[in-house]
Amino acid sequence: MINFNSFHGTVTMISDFITGQNGEGEGCYKLMSVENGSGAIVNFVVSPTTYFVDHLMVAAGDKVTGYYDGNAPVPLIYPPQYRALVIVKDTPYQNVKVDYFDSQLESSDGQLRLNLSPYTQIVLTNGQHFSKNPTNRNLIVIYGAATKSIPAQTTPYRIIVWC
């Protein structure tokens, strides 16, 4: 199971990241440096499989949240370098939660519970309709307002199922 961790900040630099010998994959991988405003810096390795919510283009100066697998091995270097699974560009009036949601549609950290409505769009990462139940899966949840209870409850606009 993926242990989704996140880091939020401002993109300070995006550069090419060479992954193999003989220029294999040249231009397909990027290194995105993100600073959180308190001096902490993280470098995200962005691959062709990294999912960008709403497929938004990200540039230096943008505020983003990068999600990575907290259980994955990482090189012991500074700043830390993580393989980005999901990148979310900050958008007004939109919240995003990337996590595993159980049979009650509660996130693994117990912070968010989903209430589905007939208007909740449930799709795959390729944009196609998801026809099964989204419980017990890794989800990218896009929502607006939420209650102040614990767990917070919301009716999401869209759920992206991470198969």
Side-chain angles (χ1 to χ4, degrees), residues 11 13-14 23 34 55 63 65 68 80 94-96 99 105-107 109 112 120 123 141 146 151 153 161:
V11 176
M13 180 186 69
I14 299 175
V34 179
H55 304 289
K63 291 199 178 296
T65 302
Y68 59 94
Q94 176 177 289
N95 299 302
V96 177
D99 206 344
L105 286 174
E106 186 172 313
S107 61
D109 62 5
L112 187 65
T120 301
V123 297
V141 179
Q153 294 188 40
V161 180

Side-chain angles (χ1 to χ4, degrees), residues 21-135:
Q21 298 175 351
N22 305 324
E24 293 175 17
E26 191 172 343
C28 293
Y29 291 80
K30 302 288 183 190
L31 193 66
M32 182 184 296
S33 296
V34 179
E35 183 188 349
N36 71 354
S38 299
I41 299 171
V42 162
N43 287 332
F44 286 112
V45 176
V46 178
S47 74
T49 60
T50 301
Y51 184 78
F52 282 76
V53 171
D54 294 329
H55 304 289
L56 296 176
M57 189 70 66
V58 173
D62 290 339
K63 291 199 178 296
V64 300
T65 302
Y67 290 88
Y68 59 94
D69 185 352
N71 294 333
V74 295
L76 293 173
I77 58 174
Y78 182 83
Q81 184 172 294
Y82 303 116
R83 190 176 135 254
L85 300 174
V86 178
I87 299 286
V88 181
K89 183 176 177 179
D90 282 11
T91 305
Y93 311 110
Q94 176 177 289
N95 299 302
V96 177
K97 175 84 170 175
V98 180
D99 206 344
Y100 176 84
F101 286 81
D102 66 14
S103 61
Q104 302 300 311
L105 286 174
E106 186 172 313
S107 61
S108 67
D109 62 5
Q111 296 297 306
L112 187 65
R113 179 172 288 153
L114 308 180
N115 299 316
L116 300 183
S117 86
Y119 303 105
T120 301
Q121 182 184 25
I122 304 174
V123 297
L124 296 167
T125 54
N126 63 9
Q128 299 305 301
H129 176 72
F130 182 74
S131 59
K132 301 293 180 187
N133 191 327
T135 58

